[in-house]
Amino acid sequence: MAMVGLFWIAEGDVYVGAKPTGMAPGVRLTAEGVVALGDGQDGLYLWEDVNALTVSDVPVKTLMRQVGVFTEVALDTVMNLAAPVGPTRTGEAPPLMTLSVGSADGEHELKAYVAAAVGYSPTEVGLSRTLLSRLTEGAATMATTLAAMSEWGRTWEGGSPRVSQREALLREWLA
């Protein structure tokens, strides 16, 4: 499993945002279409009906966001040392981002958890948005792009690549 831009690739499966578990919301991209997963959202939006994919509510990595995450972790650690029994913020769910699926019958908003703890790099966000847009350009483009992403996921071993590698992969899939 690895994060590349706004995508989570687990073996041959491609998700927008984090791969959902249980009834958590999520979005999977398949050869057939966009699949809404989780409690409160379900459905399959076939590629032939999808004319736009846009994503919003994406946290962008900034120095302030990184400092904020570090501060929260440090504060939780101190609080747990001082009073080991009690609630902590570490159990909070990650933020949600929204994938809007445009089709002839309107726009459908799907939710997915963010996979990056401190946000995504601005370059990764831009490349990912362009890639999502490209998936709606036609069956050949979509099939080739998703096949390349899936194949990479099946052959990749290890965790998420470094930022520069992720950006290079996104550019390769856009070529």
Side-chain angles (χ1 to χ4, degrees):
M1 295 189 294
M3 181 186 73
V4 179
L6 302 181
F7 306 97
W8 189 261
I9 304 171
E11 298 173 2
D13 297 332
V14 178
Y15 299 88
V16 177
K19 178 182 178 182
T21 58
M23 295 307 296
V27 178
R28 183 173 169 210
L29 305 176
T30 69
E32 293 80 32
V34 179
V35 181
L37 304 167
D39 194 28
Q41 64 181 25
D42 61 353
L44 169 65
Y45 303 92
L46 299 173
W47 287 116
E48 60 220 30
D49 300 328
V50 174
N51 57 34
L53 289 175
T54 56
V55 67
S56 58
D57 308 319
V58 178
V60 177
K61 186 186 304 183
T62 64
L63 179 58
M64 290 306 293
R65 184 178 299 277
Q66 289 173 308
V67 168
V69 168
F70 174 77
T71 303
E72 282 185 31
V73 170
L75 183 58
D76 280 344
T77 302
V78 170
M79 292 299 286
N80 285 332
L81 290 172
V85 179
T88 66
R89 290 190 303 267
T90 56
E92 290 180 7
L96 289 166
M97 60 183 167
T98 304
L99 179 71
S100 297
V101 180
S103 66
D105 65 340
E107 192 168 297
H108 310 275
E109 290 191 346
L110 308 177
K111 300 290 185 181
Y113 283 118
V114 169
V118 294
Y120 301 92
S121 78
T123 302
E124 282 185 283
V125 172
L127 290 169
S128 296
R129 284 182 167 147
T130 302
L131 185 58
L132 283 168
S133 178
R134 291 274 312 275
L135 290 174
T136 65
E137 290 179 357
T141 301
M142 177 279 304
T144 303
T145 304
L146 279 181
M149 294 171 81
S150 294
E151 180 60 27
W152 178 85
R154 281 190 287 277
T155 59
W156 176 256
E157 294 180 14
S160 297
R162 299 182 68 70
V163 174
S164 60
Q165 292 171 300
R166 295 193 305 260
E167 291 173 0
L169 278 167
L170 291 166
R171 285 186 180 93
E172 178 183 321
W173 295 334
L174 282 167

